[in-house]
Amino acid sequence: SLANFWFLGDMPVLEQYCLSTGAGWIDVYYDSHNKTWTDYPGNITSDGIGWGSYNVRRGERGSCGENVTWQIFYNEMLHADTDILVISGTGAMDDFADGEAPWLPYCDRVYTLVVANGVTRIGDGAFRGQHLSEIVVAGSVREIGAEAFRGVTNLWRLPITENIRCMGDYAFADSSVGLVTGGGPLPRMGVGVYENCDGLTRVELQTGTAAIPERTFFGCAALKKITVPYTVTAIGQDAFAGCAALQSVTYNGTTVQWDAIELGSGNEAFLNAELLGIIPTSGTCGENALWELDEENGILTISGTGSVDERPWANAAAQIQTVIVEEGITALGDRVLYDLDNVTRIELPDTLTTLGKGTFSSCGNLESMVIPTGITEIPDSCFYYCGSLTDVLWPASLTAIG
Protein backbone atom coordinates (compact mmCIF):
# COMPACT_ATOMS: atom_id res chain seq x y z
CA SER A 1 0.00 0.00 0.00
CA LEU A 2 3.07 2.29 0.00
CA ALA A 3 2.43 5.07 -2.54
CA ASN A 4 4.89 7.90 -1.76
CA PHE A 5 8.45 7.92 -0.43
CA TRP A 6 10.29 11.12 0.54
CA PHE A 7 14.00 11.47 1.21
CA LEU A 8 14.44 14.47 3.53
CA GLY A 9 18.24 14.45 3.73
CA ASP A 10 21.35 13.47 1.80
CA MET A 11 21.25 10.81 -0.88
CA PRO A 12 22.00 7.43 0.73
CA VAL A 13 23.62 4.43 -0.93
CA LEU A 14 20.84 2.80 -2.94
CA GLU A 15 21.00 -0.66 -4.45
CA GLN A 16 19.21 -1.80 -7.58
CA TYR A 17 15.50 -2.52 -6.94
CA CYS A 18 15.81 -1.49 -3.27
CA LEU A 19 12.62 0.58 -3.52
CA SER A 20 10.58 -1.93 -5.47
CA THR A 21 7.44 -3.02 -3.64
CA GLY A 22 5.96 -5.38 -6.22
CA ALA A 23 2.56 -4.09 -5.19
CA GLY A 24 1.83 -1.12 -7.43
CA TRP A 25 3.21 2.27 -8.42
CA ILE A 26 5.36 4.23 -5.95
CA ASP A 27 6.53 7.85 -6.34
CA VAL A 28 9.96 8.60 -4.88
CA TYR A 29 10.88 12.23 -4.16
CA TYR A 30 14.18 13.88 -3.24
CA ASP A 31 15.13 17.41 -2.15
CA SER A 32 16.00 19.54 -5.19
CA HIS A 33 18.13 21.88 -3.00
CA ASN A 34 20.29 19.08 -1.62
CA LYS A 35 23.46 18.92 -3.72
CA THR A 36 24.00 15.23 -3.01
CA TRP A 37 20.96 14.61 -5.22
CA THR A 38 22.24 16.60 -8.21
CA ASP A 39 22.47 13.40 -10.22
CA TYR A 40 19.61 11.35 -8.89
CA PRO A 41 20.15 7.59 -9.07
CA GLY A 42 18.66 6.84 -12.47
CA ASN A 43 20.03 3.31 -12.24
CA ILE A 44 17.68 2.60 -9.35
CA THR A 45 14.80 1.74 -11.62
CA SER A 46 12.21 -0.94 -11.97
CA ASP A 47 8.60 -1.27 -12.98
CA GLY A 48 6.30 0.84 -10.86
CA ILE A 49 8.77 3.51 -9.63
CA GLY A 50 8.71 7.16 -10.63
CA TRP A 51 11.29 9.75 -9.54
CA GLY A 52 10.59 13.38 -8.80
CA SER A 53 12.11 16.31 -6.97
CA TYR A 54 10.53 18.62 -4.48
CA ASN A 55 11.50 22.03 -3.20
CA VAL A 56 11.72 21.91 0.57
CA ARG A 57 12.03 25.01 2.67
CA ARG A 58 13.04 24.34 6.22
CA GLY A 59 10.60 26.14 8.44
CA GLU A 60 10.01 26.77 12.09
CA ARG A 61 11.69 24.57 14.67
CA GLY A 62 12.08 24.25 18.39
CA SER A 63 12.55 21.95 21.35
CA CYS A 64 10.01 19.35 22.43
CA GLY A 65 12.08 17.32 24.88
CA GLU A 66 15.38 17.41 26.69
CA ASN A 67 17.17 16.11 23.61
CA VAL A 68 14.33 16.18 21.10
CA THR A 69 13.50 18.87 18.52
CA TRP A 70 10.70 19.54 16.03
CA GLN A 71 10.83 21.17 12.60
CA ILE A 72 8.39 21.94 9.80
CA PHE A 73 9.46 21.12 6.23
CA TYR A 74 7.48 23.21 3.75
CA ASN A 75 7.03 21.45 0.41
CA GLU A 76 6.67 24.13 -2.25
CA MET A 77 6.48 21.96 -5.38
CA LEU A 78 4.06 19.18 -4.61
CA HIS A 79 0.34 19.61 -4.25
CA ALA A 80 -1.06 21.37 -1.21
CA ASP A 81 -1.28 19.78 2.22
CA THR A 82 2.03 17.94 1.90
CA ASP A 83 4.16 19.76 4.47
CA ILE A 84 5.99 17.51 6.89
CA LEU A 85 6.51 17.73 10.64
CA VAL A 86 9.68 15.94 11.73
CA ILE A 87 10.43 15.01 15.35
CA SER A 88 14.09 14.07 15.84
CA GLY A 89 16.75 13.63 18.49
CA THR A 90 17.16 11.13 21.30
CA GLY A 91 15.00 10.15 24.24
CA ALA A 92 11.46 11.09 25.17
CA MET A 93 9.26 13.92 23.94
CA ASP A 94 7.62 16.29 26.40
CA ASP A 95 3.95 15.93 27.33
CA PHE A 96 1.50 18.62 26.14
CA ALA A 97 -1.84 19.81 27.46
CA ASP A 98 -4.58 20.42 24.90
CA GLY A 99 -3.55 23.18 22.46
CA GLU A 100 -0.03 23.62 23.86
CA ALA A 101 2.07 21.73 21.28
CA PRO A 102 4.49 24.37 19.90
CA TRP A 103 4.03 23.35 16.23
CA LEU A 104 0.26 23.86 16.19
CA PRO A 105 0.33 27.41 14.77
CA TYR A 106 2.29 26.17 11.73
CA CYS A 107 0.40 22.99 10.90
CA ASP A 108 -2.30 24.20 8.52
CA ARG A 109 -0.78 22.15 5.68
CA VAL A 110 1.02 19.45 7.69
CA TYR A 111 -0.50 16.11 6.83
CA THR A 112 2.62 13.96 7.31
CA LEU A 113 4.39 13.25 10.60
CA VAL A 114 7.83 11.65 10.81
CA VAL A 115 9.16 10.54 14.21
CA ALA A 116 12.82 9.87 13.50
CA ASN A 117 15.10 7.16 14.83
CA GLY A 118 16.39 7.97 18.30
CA VAL A 119 13.12 9.23 19.75
CA THR A 120 11.86 6.74 22.34
CA ARG A 121 8.53 8.16 23.50
CA ILE A 122 5.76 10.19 21.89
CA GLY A 123 4.46 12.60 24.49
CA ASP A 124 0.98 12.83 25.97
CA GLY A 125 -1.34 14.91 23.79
CA ALA A 126 1.43 15.66 21.29
CA PHE A 127 -0.67 15.48 18.12
CA ARG A 128 -4.16 15.70 19.56
CA GLY A 129 -6.73 16.86 17.00
CA GLN A 130 -4.33 17.38 14.09
CA HIS A 131 -5.16 16.63 10.44
CA LEU A 132 -2.52 13.96 9.83
CA SER A 133 -3.05 11.57 6.95
CA GLU A 134 0.25 9.73 7.27
CA ILE A 135 2.58 8.97 10.16
CA VAL A 136 5.99 7.32 10.05
CA VAL A 137 7.31 6.14 13.42
CA ALA A 138 10.85 4.83 13.82
CA GLY A 139 11.61 1.54 15.52
CA SER A 140 13.27 3.35 18.43
CA VAL A 141 9.87 4.44 19.76
CA ARG A 142 8.80 2.26 22.68
CA GLU A 143 5.86 4.21 24.07
CA ILE A 144 2.96 6.30 22.80
CA GLY A 145 1.64 8.66 25.44
CA ALA A 146 -1.91 9.25 26.61
CA GLU A 147 -4.12 11.00 24.04
CA ALA A 148 -1.08 11.40 21.78
CA PHE A 149 -3.21 11.06 18.62
CA ARG A 150 -6.67 11.56 20.08
CA GLY A 151 -9.09 13.10 17.61
CA VAL A 152 -6.65 12.97 14.68
CA THR A 153 -8.54 13.30 11.40
CA ASN A 154 -7.64 11.94 7.95
CA LEU A 155 -5.44 9.16 9.39
CA TRP A 156 -6.85 5.86 8.13
CA ARG A 157 -3.90 3.47 8.09
CA LEU A 158 -2.07 3.20 11.42
CA PRO A 159 1.33 1.46 11.15
CA ILE A 160 2.47 0.25 14.58
CA THR A 161 6.11 -0.82 14.89
CA GLU A 162 6.87 -4.09 16.64
CA ASN A 163 8.97 -2.30 19.28
CA ILE A 164 6.14 -0.29 20.84
CA ARG A 165 5.46 -1.77 24.26
CA CYS A 166 3.09 0.76 25.82
CA MET A 167 0.13 2.85 24.68
CA GLY A 168 -1.31 5.40 27.07
CA ASP A 169 -4.97 6.06 27.86
CA TYR A 170 -7.06 7.10 24.83
CA ALA A 171 -3.93 7.21 22.61
CA PHE A 172 -5.96 7.03 19.36
CA ALA A 173 -9.48 7.60 20.70
CA ASP A 174 -11.98 9.55 18.57
CA SER A 175 -9.66 9.36 15.55
CA SER A 176 -10.25 8.34 11.94
CA VAL A 177 -8.11 5.18 12.15
CA GLY A 178 -9.58 2.41 10.01
CA LEU A 179 -6.75 -0.10 9.71
CA VAL A 180 -4.08 -1.06 12.26
CA THR A 181 -1.09 -2.85 10.74
CA GLY A 182 2.06 -4.43 12.17
CA GLY A 183 2.80 -4.15 15.85
CA GLY A 184 4.26 -6.40 18.49
CA PRO A 185 3.37 -7.47 22.01
CA LEU A 186 1.76 -4.78 24.15
CA PRO A 187 2.45 -5.59 27.81
CA ARG A 188 0.92 -2.25 28.81
CA MET A 189 -2.12 -0.76 27.12
CA GLY A 190 -4.13 2.05 28.65
CA VAL A 191 -7.85 2.63 28.92
CA GLY A 192 -9.84 3.41 25.77
CA VAL A 193 -6.91 3.32 23.34
CA TYR A 194 -9.20 3.01 20.27
CA GLU A 195 -12.42 4.31 21.80
CA ASN A 196 -14.89 5.67 19.22
CA CYS A 197 -12.68 4.89 16.22
CA ASP A 198 -15.83 4.29 14.22
CA GLY A 199 -13.94 3.50 10.99
CA LEU A 200 -11.92 0.67 12.51
CA THR A 201 -12.92 -2.64 10.92
CA ARG A 202 -10.24 -5.15 11.84
CA VAL A 203 -7.59 -5.53 14.56
CA GLU A 204 -4.94 -8.18 15.12
CA LEU A 205 -3.40 -8.08 18.59
CA GLN A 206 0.02 -9.71 18.79
CA THR A 207 1.21 -12.50 21.08
CA GLY A 208 2.57 -10.95 24.26
CA THR A 209 -0.34 -8.55 24.68
CA ALA A 210 -1.38 -9.11 28.29
CA ALA A 211 -4.86 -7.56 28.52
CA ILE A 212 -7.55 -5.62 26.69
CA PRO A 213 -8.34 -2.85 29.20
CA GLU A 214 -11.70 -1.24 29.79
CA ARG A 215 -13.22 0.74 26.90
CA THR A 216 -10.41 -0.24 24.51
CA PHE A 217 -12.78 -0.61 21.53
CA PHE A 218 -15.78 1.16 23.04
CA GLY A 219 -17.95 2.60 20.28
CA CYS A 220 -16.00 1.05 17.40
CA ALA A 221 -19.24 0.51 15.53
CA ALA A 222 -17.61 -0.82 12.33
CA LEU A 223 -15.29 -3.34 13.98
CA LYS A 224 -15.98 -6.72 12.38
CA LYS A 225 -13.02 -8.95 13.18
CA ILE A 226 -10.42 -9.16 15.92
CA THR A 227 -7.59 -11.58 16.65
CA VAL A 228 -6.85 -12.15 20.33
CA PRO A 229 -3.65 -13.98 21.38
CA TYR A 230 -3.50 -16.62 24.07
CA THR A 231 -1.41 -14.26 26.24
CA VAL A 232 -4.47 -12.10 26.96
CA THR A 233 -5.73 -13.01 30.42
CA ALA A 234 -8.21 -10.20 31.07
CA ILE A 235 -10.71 -8.10 29.12
CA GLY A 236 -11.92 -5.01 30.94
CA GLN A 237 -15.39 -3.58 31.43
CA ASP A 238 -17.01 -2.22 28.25
CA ALA A 239 -13.92 -3.07 26.19
CA PHE A 240 -16.25 -4.02 23.30
CA ALA A 241 -19.36 -2.05 24.22
CA GLY A 242 -20.99 -0.57 21.15
CA CYS A 243 -19.27 -2.99 18.75
CA ALA A 244 -22.53 -4.12 17.18
CA ALA A 245 -20.87 -5.17 13.89
CA LEU A 246 -18.39 -7.57 15.50
CA GLN A 247 -18.70 -10.85 13.60
CA SER A 248 -15.76 -13.01 14.65
CA VAL A 249 -13.09 -13.40 17.30
CA THR A 250 -10.06 -15.44 16.31
CA TYR A 251 -8.28 -16.85 19.35
CA ASN A 252 -4.96 -18.67 19.08
CA GLY A 253 -5.12 -20.43 22.44
CA THR A 254 -6.75 -23.53 23.83
CA THR A 255 -10.22 -23.98 25.31
CA VAL A 256 -8.84 -23.99 28.86
CA GLN A 257 -6.97 -20.73 28.22
CA TRP A 258 -10.07 -19.16 26.67
CA ASP A 259 -12.27 -20.14 29.60
CA ALA A 260 -9.72 -18.68 32.03
CA ILE A 261 -9.91 -15.14 30.59
CA GLU A 262 -11.29 -12.70 33.14
CA LEU A 263 -14.10 -10.92 31.29
CA GLY A 264 -15.60 -7.68 32.53
CA SER A 265 -19.21 -6.62 32.09
CA GLY A 266 -20.57 -4.85 29.03
CA ASN A 267 -18.88 -7.14 26.51
CA GLU A 268 -21.91 -8.88 25.05
CA ALA A 269 -20.82 -8.10 21.48
CA PHE A 270 -17.56 -9.96 22.11
CA LEU A 271 -19.32 -12.97 23.59
CA ASN A 272 -21.89 -13.13 20.78
CA ALA A 273 -19.31 -13.08 17.97
CA GLU A 274 -18.31 -16.31 16.26
CA LEU A 275 -15.28 -17.87 17.97
CA LEU A 276 -12.61 -19.10 15.55
CA GLY A 277 -9.16 -20.62 15.81
CA ILE A 278 -9.33 -22.42 19.15
CA ILE A 279 -6.32 -24.73 19.34
CA PRO A 280 -7.25 -28.42 19.65
CA THR A 281 -5.84 -30.46 22.52
CA SER A 282 -5.89 -33.85 20.78
CA GLY A 283 -5.76 -35.41 17.34
CA THR A 284 -3.48 -37.25 14.95
CA CYS A 285 0.23 -36.59 14.47
CA GLY A 286 1.08 -39.40 12.06
CA GLU A 287 -0.62 -42.09 10.03
CA ASN A 288 -1.20 -44.23 13.13
CA ALA A 289 -0.06 -41.83 15.85
CA LEU A 290 -2.23 -39.81 18.22
CA TRP A 291 -1.61 -36.95 20.64
CA GLU A 292 -3.40 -35.49 23.62
CA LEU A 293 -2.57 -32.51 25.81
CA ASP A 294 -3.49 -32.48 29.49
CA GLU A 295 -3.56 -28.70 29.92
CA GLU A 296 -4.08 -28.77 33.66
CA ASN A 297 -0.83 -30.68 34.24
CA GLY A 298 1.02 -29.59 31.10
CA ILE A 299 1.54 -33.15 29.83
CA LEU A 300 1.70 -34.00 26.12
CA THR A 301 1.13 -37.71 25.51
CA ILE A 302 1.93 -39.29 22.14
CA SER A 303 0.55 -42.77 21.53
CA GLY A 304 -0.21 -45.28 18.79
CA THR A 305 2.23 -46.95 16.42
CA GLY A 306 4.75 -46.02 13.76
CA SER A 307 6.12 -42.58 12.99
CA VAL A 308 5.26 -39.14 14.36
CA ASP A 309 5.56 -36.78 11.37
CA GLU A 310 3.63 -33.66 12.43
CA ARG A 311 3.58 -31.24 15.37
CA PRO A 312 -0.06 -30.08 15.66
CA TRP A 313 0.58 -29.04 19.28
CA ALA A 314 2.91 -26.21 18.19
CA ASN A 315 0.47 -23.41 19.05
CA ALA A 316 0.02 -24.86 22.53
CA ALA A 317 3.78 -25.07 23.14
CA ALA A 318 3.66 -22.68 26.09
CA GLN A 319 1.37 -25.11 27.95
CA ILE A 320 3.59 -28.17 27.60
CA GLN A 321 5.95 -29.05 30.46
CA THR A 322 6.31 -32.82 30.06
CA VAL A 323 6.30 -35.05 26.96
CA ILE A 324 5.53 -38.76 27.25
CA VAL A 325 5.98 -40.88 24.11
CA GLU A 326 4.32 -44.24 24.69
CA GLU A 327 5.37 -47.73 23.58
CA GLY A 328 4.53 -48.46 19.94
CA ILE A 329 5.98 -45.23 18.49
CA THR A 330 9.03 -46.10 16.38
CA ALA A 331 10.14 -42.76 14.91
CA LEU A 332 10.07 -39.05 15.75
CA GLY A 333 10.36 -36.94 12.58
CA ASP A 334 12.34 -33.77 11.93
CA ARG A 335 11.71 -31.08 14.58
CA VAL A 336 8.49 -32.63 15.86
CA LEU A 337 9.33 -31.65 19.46
CA TYR A 338 11.09 -28.44 18.46
CA ASP A 339 10.74 -25.24 20.50
CA LEU A 340 8.96 -26.66 23.54
CA ASP A 341 10.75 -24.17 25.74
CA ASN A 342 8.87 -24.98 28.96
CA VAL A 343 9.50 -28.72 28.76
CA THR A 344 11.79 -30.09 31.47
CA ARG A 345 11.21 -33.82 30.94
CA ILE A 346 10.79 -36.06 27.87
CA GLU A 347 10.15 -39.79 28.21
CA LEU A 348 10.92 -42.02 25.21
CA PRO A 349 9.80 -45.64 24.66
CA ASP A 350 12.02 -48.69 24.02
CA THR A 351 10.23 -49.16 20.67
CA LEU A 352 11.78 -45.93 19.35
CA THR A 353 14.45 -46.57 16.71
CA THR A 354 14.67 -43.31 14.72
CA LEU A 355 15.10 -39.64 15.51
CA GLY A 356 14.83 -36.84 12.94
CA LYS A 357 16.97 -33.75 12.50
CA GLY A 358 16.42 -31.17 15.22
CA THR A 359 13.87 -33.37 16.99
CA PHE A 360 14.45 -31.76 20.41
CA SER A 361 16.04 -28.48 19.30
CA SER A 362 15.22 -25.30 21.22
CA CYS A 363 13.84 -27.17 24.23
CA GLY A 364 15.73 -24.68 26.35
CA ASN A 365 14.69 -25.98 29.78
CA LEU A 366 15.12 -29.70 29.10
CA GLU A 367 17.48 -30.93 31.83
CA SER A 368 18.05 -34.64 31.23
CA MET A 369 17.15 -37.47 28.87
CA VAL A 370 17.49 -41.24 28.49
CA ILE A 371 17.99 -42.36 24.88
CA PRO A 372 16.38 -45.79 24.21
CA THR A 373 18.57 -48.76 23.31
CA GLY A 374 17.09 -49.03 19.81
CA ILE A 375 18.59 -45.69 18.70
CA THR A 376 21.79 -46.07 16.64
CA GLU A 377 22.21 -42.50 15.37
CA ILE A 378 21.70 -38.98 16.70
CA PRO A 379 21.00 -36.75 13.65
CA ASP A 380 22.18 -33.19 13.07
CA SER A 381 20.92 -30.47 15.43
CA CYS A 382 18.97 -32.98 17.50
CA PHE A 383 19.70 -31.10 20.75
CA TYR A 384 20.49 -27.70 19.25
CA TYR A 385 19.82 -24.84 21.69
CA CYS A 386 19.05 -27.17 24.59
CA GLY A 387 21.04 -24.97 26.94
CA SER A 388 19.86 -26.56 30.21
CA LEU A 389 20.56 -30.14 29.15
CA THR A 390 23.22 -31.50 31.50
CA ASP A 391 22.59 -35.27 31.66
CA VAL A 392 22.04 -37.62 28.72
CA LEU A 393 22.22 -41.41 29.04
CA TRP A 394 23.46 -42.76 25.71
CA PRO A 395 22.70 -46.39 24.71
CA ALA A 396 25.39 -48.91 23.81
CA SER A 397 23.71 -49.24 20.42
CA LEU A 398 24.72 -45.69 19.42
CA THR A 399 27.12 -45.60 16.46
CA ALA A 400 26.96 -42.00 15.17
CA ILE A 401 26.27 -38.47 16.42
CA GLY A 402 25.52 -35.73 13.89
Side-chain angles (χ1 to χ4, degrees):
S1 59
L2 183 64
N4 298 291
F5 196 105
W6 291 282
F7 286 100
L8 298 182
D10 293 348
M11 176 179 168
V13 176
L14 299 173
E15 301 292 339
Q16 184 77 2
Y17 303 113
C18 65
L19 297 174
S20 300
T21 66
W25 185 268
I26 174 175
D27 290 316
V28 182
Y29 299 97
Y30 59 94
D31 184 357
S32 61
H33 288 318
N34 189 314
K35 294 182 178 180
T36 65
W37 288 92
T38 299
D39 296 316
Y40 79 87
N43 63 314
I44 309 301
T45 59
S46 68
D47 293 341
I49 292 182
W51 285 91
S53 64
Y54 60 87
N55 185 0
V56 164
R57 175 170 59 85
R58 293 175 182 267
E60 293 77 10
R61 61 175 297 166
S63 174
C64 57
E66 184 175 355
N67 296 299
V68 183
T69 60
W70 63 273
Q71 184 162 26
I72 304 292
F73 287 77
Y74 293 108
N75 187 351
E76 298 176 339
M77 290 183 68
L78 295 179
H79 57 77
D81 302 331
T82 57
D83 295 341
I84 303 169
L85 170 61
V86 177
I87 310 295
S88 60
T90 58
M93 292 177 61
D94 290 336
D95 296 329
F96 300 98
D98 193 12
E100 291 186 357
W103 45 81
L104 285 178
Y106 314 106
C107 284
D108 289 346
R109 294 200 333 156
V110 171
Y111 274 58
T112 298
L113 167 70
V114 176
V115 182
N117 193 46
V119 179
T120 59
R121 181 180 184 274
I122 296 175
D124 294 356
F127 308 105
R128 184 192 289 108
Q130 295 183 30
H131 304 296
L132 300 172
S133 59
E134 182 178 14
I135 64 173
V136 179
V137 178
S140 59
V141 175
R142 299 291 188 271
E143 182 176 349
I144 297 176
E147 301 190 38
F149 295 92
R150 186 167 194 168
V152 166
T153 59
N154 300 318
L155 180 64
W156 185 77
R157 180 178 177 270
L158 176 62
I160 301 294
T161 71
E162 62 182 14
N163 295 323
I164 291 175
R165 293 293 179 267
C166 176
M167 289 188 185
D169 294 349
Y170 305 103
F172 295 95
D174 307 313
S175 71
S176 57
V177 170
L179 176 66
V180 180
T181 62
L186 273 174
R188 291 183 296 153
M189 185 159 54
V191 171
V193 167
Y194 297 107
E195 179 176 308
N196 292 327
C197 291
D198 53 15
L200 191 61
T201 60
R202 183 172 181 174
V203 174
E204 184 173 346
L205 300 176
Q206 302 299 313
T207 300
T209 301
I212 303 176
E214 60 185 272
R215 301 179 72 89
T216 297
F217 299 104
F218 182 96
C220 293
L223 183 63
K224 294 181 179 181
K225 298 179 180 180
I226 185 168
T227 297
V228 178
Y230 70 88
T231 50
V232 169
T233 59
I235 297 175
Q237 181 177 345
D238 293 329
F240 292 91
C243 297
L246 189 60
Q247 299 172 353
S248 65
V249 176
T250 300
Y251 181 70
N252 64 1
T254 65
T255 301
V256 170
Q257 290 172 313
W258 173 262
D259 291 340
I261 294 176
E262 182 180 343
L263 186 65
S265 61
N267 290 302
E268 289 77 13
F270 183 80
L271 290 172
N272 293 334
E274 182 182 7
L275 181 59
L276 306 173
I278 288 285
I279 297 172
T281 54
S282 63
T284 61
C285 52
E287 186 175 356
N288 297 300
L290 304 172
W291 70 283
E292 184 173 2
L293 175 60
D294 175 357
E295 289 188 79
E296 184 175 351
N297 296 301
I299 300 174
L300 171 64
T301 301
I302 299 173
S303 60
T305 60
S307 177
V308 176
D309 304 314
E310 303 169 359
R311 49 192 299 265
W313 48 78
N315 288 334
Q319 302 294 106
I320 303 172
Q321 301 173 27
T322 300
V323 178
I324 299 175
V325 184
E326 295 186 344
E327 297 292 328
I329 298 299
T330 58
L332 295 177
D334 293 349
R335 297 164 62 92
V336 293
L337 297 178
Y338 158 78
D339 201 26
L340 299 181
D341 197 48
N342 292 326
V343 166
T344 58
R345 181 168 60 96
I346 297 177
E347 296 182 8
L348 303 177
D350 291 336
T351 53
L352 191 66
T353 59
T354 304
L355 295 174
K357 294 180 180 179
T359 299
F360 310 109
S361 59
S362 296
C363 290
N365 286 296
L366 181 63
E367 298 173 350
S368 62
M369 178 170 285
V370 176
I371 305 299
T373 56
I375 297 293
T376 59
E377 180 182 356
I378 303 296
D380 295 346
S381 305
C382 200
F383 294 99
Y384 189 62
Y385 277 124
C386 293
S388 300
L389 188 62
T390 56
D391 297 299
V392 179
L393 182 59
W394 305 107
S397 58
L398 193 64
T399 60
I401 298 179

